[in-house]
Amino acid sequence: MPREFQRGHKARISDLTAGTDLYVGVQIAGPGLTFDISCFGLDADERLSDDRYFVFFNQPKSPEESIQLLGAQAGDTESFRITLDRIPPQIRKLSFTATLDGAGQMSQIGPGHLRIVAGGEEVARYAFNGSEFTTERAVMLGDFYLKDVWRFAAVGQGFDGGLDALLKNFGGEVAEEEAPAAPQQPQAGAAAPGFAPPAFGAPSAPAPAPQPQPAQGFAPPPGATPPPAPAPAPSVHVAPTIVAPLAPPGGGQVPPPAPAPAPYGQPPQQQPYGQPPAPAVPMPPGYGQQPQAPQAPPGYGQPTPPPGYGQQPPFGQVPGQQAYGVPQGAPQGGAGVAAALQQFKETPTGQRWTQQNKKLVRVDLGVGGQPVLARQGSMVLYQGKVDFSYKGAGFAGRIVGNATGQEMQLMRCTGQGQVFLAENSTMLHPIELQGDGICVSAENVLAFDESLQYEVRRIEGHGIPGGALFTMQFTGTGTIVVKTHGTPVVLPVTPTTFADCNAVVAWSSASQVVVSSQVRMRRNAYPGDTGESVNLQFRGAPGNFIVVQPYEV
């Protein structure tokens, strides 16, 4: 039976299947609605830094064919083939999205799903329907992301702005061409020869369309040999709607198809130095090319590029017109409140926990649907319908907390909205637990998912009054936000690892911790104590760690 996912749930791919050659099928439909289903290959900053990894109807595969668009088959509106072990190292996330082509809202869709199939057997399914959405026009359905190992997350978050908002979220922008776009070549669709799993029926009859040669051991059905490729198809940027990264890498260049194109970023209506008009087909933006005109703006072929991060003044504008003192990266247009505060804008990612900066974290309560427990008074801003209630520890909990010094004054955050948390300008570190555990002092805990289990843990020791210290141990699946004074350091546990009990923040729950006392009566009978009398000694197998902050409480 496939594993059922709900919005916000995550799992390792290795827990679902041992294979790396996967089929991803998306089924989404609604009365009178048309959808474009795509896959974005994102870098470590969750940005589309290489638009060759934007796989959609007009670009059906990535360069090394690790991501392939297969078309509609086996009951799925759209399907993909993902070969995880062939994805290049700079691609850290694959985001599968659905956008409306035309009028409508995601609340009008019927029951749909995103499923993962390995070896002809469905191993995971995320089911959704229109009741989960409102006015969204673009939705991130699910993510494959690399965090030590490849993992899958059911996202189910959308944007009212449709494709424009989706592209801007991934660091790109929509290039709108003034000249009429050339007819699109049918490159991938329902008739594309695919590799739909046997358990879900045979794919549609293949049509003569160019398709990538399948990898060894993953052959298409007999008789589905792709015909010879026709003349080279126009660049993907010929399409009327295409992504263009704001910060292109120094990768390979895409040669322009026209023999005498206008300079990079030059508006079509302006011809440089008396050259004849450009051809009717819109010039591709030439991703990765250097501008030929020294003053041309990096607008990726837009007639009037909107101001953005790092752009120079538009072609022909006097640079001196920009107001003095505008922060670097602020929008063009001079000074002003919006320009000055542009660099501090909110950072949306569609994830449940998002670190806005080193000292501020945001939690989206709508992702996962579970409450969050946070330190009382740590909320600095919230949006949406959020309810804050007191979270008591009970009579026994208060007694244990007072006796051990590990009492946490908590509040429960529930509802549908985003809550921003911070405390005393301390540095915040969200830590995701996947069934493992971590020990953290209650003083260093800012917030955590209510799904985590926590208890007071005793640290054995001798030579100090009471013979023990205490800490909090968190286990389960969820996220905990740890706060530190200054930038911490993480060290591996060795047989000779000692830490000041006033500076240690956290350690892996599998570590063995004992109190090491250096108190000697003869030393303390005289003045001149070093102040380092009581330390914690850590022991454990390789892989265990401790976290120490440059501050003693």
Side-chain angles (χ1 to χ4, degrees), residues 12-25:
R12 296 182 178 92
I13 297 296
S14 58
D15 294 340
L16 304 176
T17 176
T20 59
D21 211 347
L22 307 177
Y23 171 98
V24 178

Side-chain angles (χ1 to χ4, degrees), residues 194-412:
F195 73 109
F200 298 94
S204 305
Q211 288 296 322
Q213 187 69 22
Q216 183 178 2
F218 214 89
T225 304
S235 171
V236 62
H237 298 284
V238 176
T241 301
I242 196 61
V243 67
L246 293 177
Q253 300 183 358
V254 180
Y264 176 84
Q266 178 75 23
Q269 62 270 26
Q270 298 179 0
Q271 303 302 325
Y273 309 109
Q275 289 186 7
V281 178
M283 183 193 71
Y287 172 79
Q289 296 181 6
Q290 298 297 326
Q292 299 176 9
Q295 295 181 341
Y300 294 92
Q302 296 190 15
T304 54
Y309 288 109
Q311 289 188 356
Q312 300 296 323
F315 183 77
Q317 177 178 331
V318 180
Q321 295 293 330
Q322 188 172 359
Y324 176 79
V326 177
Q328 183 179 2
Q332 299 290 327
V337 175
L341 301 180
Q342 182 73 21
Q343 57 181 317
F344 305 113
K345 288 183 63 177
E346 178 186 3
T347 307
T349 62
Q351 302 295 331
R352 177 170 172 84
W353 293 89
T354 305
Q355 192 159 8
Q356 300 297 301
N357 53 54
K358 295 181 180 180
K359 301 179 181 181
L360 188 67
V361 68
R362 186 194 74 175
V363 56
D364 192 337
L365 299 177
V367 179
Q370 296 180 354
V372 166
L373 299 180
R375 185 177 294 271
Q376 293 180 12
S378 60
M379 185 275 295
V380 297
L381 172 72
Y382 75 91
Q383 297 173 315
K385 298 180 180 179
V386 180
D387 180 61
F388 300 93
S389 59
Y390 174 74
K391 173 63 171 66
F395 180 74
R398 288 196 300 270
I399 293 179
V400 173
N402 291 332
T404 61
Q406 298 298 312
E407 182 179 10
M408 294 186 294
Q409 300 292 334
L410 300 174
M411 61 180 179
R412 177 184 282 110

Side-chain angles (χ1 to χ4, degrees), residues 25-310:
V26 176
Q27 198 280 325
I28 184 171
L33 302 180
T34 304
F35 298 89
D36 291 330
I37 301 173
S38 312
C39 176
F40 289 82
L42 310 176
D43 58 20
D45 296 326
E46 299 189 0
R47 291 292 184 265
L48 186 68
S49 57
D50 189 341
D51 64 349
R52 297 176 301 170
Y53 290 89
F54 175 32
V55 176
F56 68 120
F57 64 90
N58 206 39
Q59 183 168 256
K61 64 179 181 178
S62 60
E64 71 293 319
E65 301 184 4
S66 62
I67 312 169
Q68 301 179 33
L69 186 72
L70 302 177
Q73 56 180 319
D76 295 322
T77 309
E78 191 61 87
S79 60
F80 299 83
R81 177 185 179 183
I82 307 299
T83 311
L84 295 178
D85 54 1
R86 296 177 60 187
I87 295 177
Q90 69 269 20
I91 302 300
R92 311 287 291 181
K93 175 181 285 191
L94 305 179
S95 182
F96 295 90
T97 66
T99 58
L100 278 166
D101 185 7
Q105 299 176 351
M106 287 296 177
S107 58
Q108 301 173 261
I109 67 173
H113 65 254
L114 184 150
R115 63 180 179 134
I116 303 174
V117 179
E121 179 181 359
E122 183 174 331
V123 297
R125 174 181 288 253
Y126 164 47
F128 53 85
N129 55 63
S131 63
E132 302 180 24
F133 310 108
T134 54
T135 59
E136 295 91 336
R137 291 178 46 78
V139 176
M140 297 183 295
L141 299 174
D143 291 343
F144 284 43
Y145 63 101
L146 185 60
K147 186 178 180 181
D148 300 330
V149 295
W150 281 102
R151 306 167 187 256
F152 171 72
V155 181
Q157 294 294 303
F159 300 88
D160 291 349
L163 181 61
D164 291 13
L166 184 65
L167 293 176
K168 291 178 181 177
N169 177 69
F170 291 142
E173 54 189 23
V174 177
E176 298 179 356
E177 305 290 350
E178 288 191 354
Q184 299 173 359
Q185 300 293 332
Q187 297 191 12
F195 73 109
F200 298 94
S204 305
Q211 288 296 322
Q213 187 69 22
Q216 183 178 2
F218 214 89
T225 304
S235 171
V236 62
H237 298 284
V238 176
T241 301
I242 196 61
V243 67
L246 293 177
Q253 300 183 358
V254 180
Y264 176 84
Q266 178 75 23
Q269 62 270 26
Q270 298 179 0
Q271 303 302 325
Y273 309 109
Q275 289 186 7
V281 178
M283 183 193 71
Y287 172 79
Q289 296 181 6
Q290 298 297 326
Q292 299 176 9
Q295 295 181 341
Y300 294 92
Q302 296 190 15
T304 54
Y309 288 109

Side-chain angles (χ1 to χ4, degrees), residues 210 301 423 469 489:
E423 187 178 66
L469 295 175
V489 61

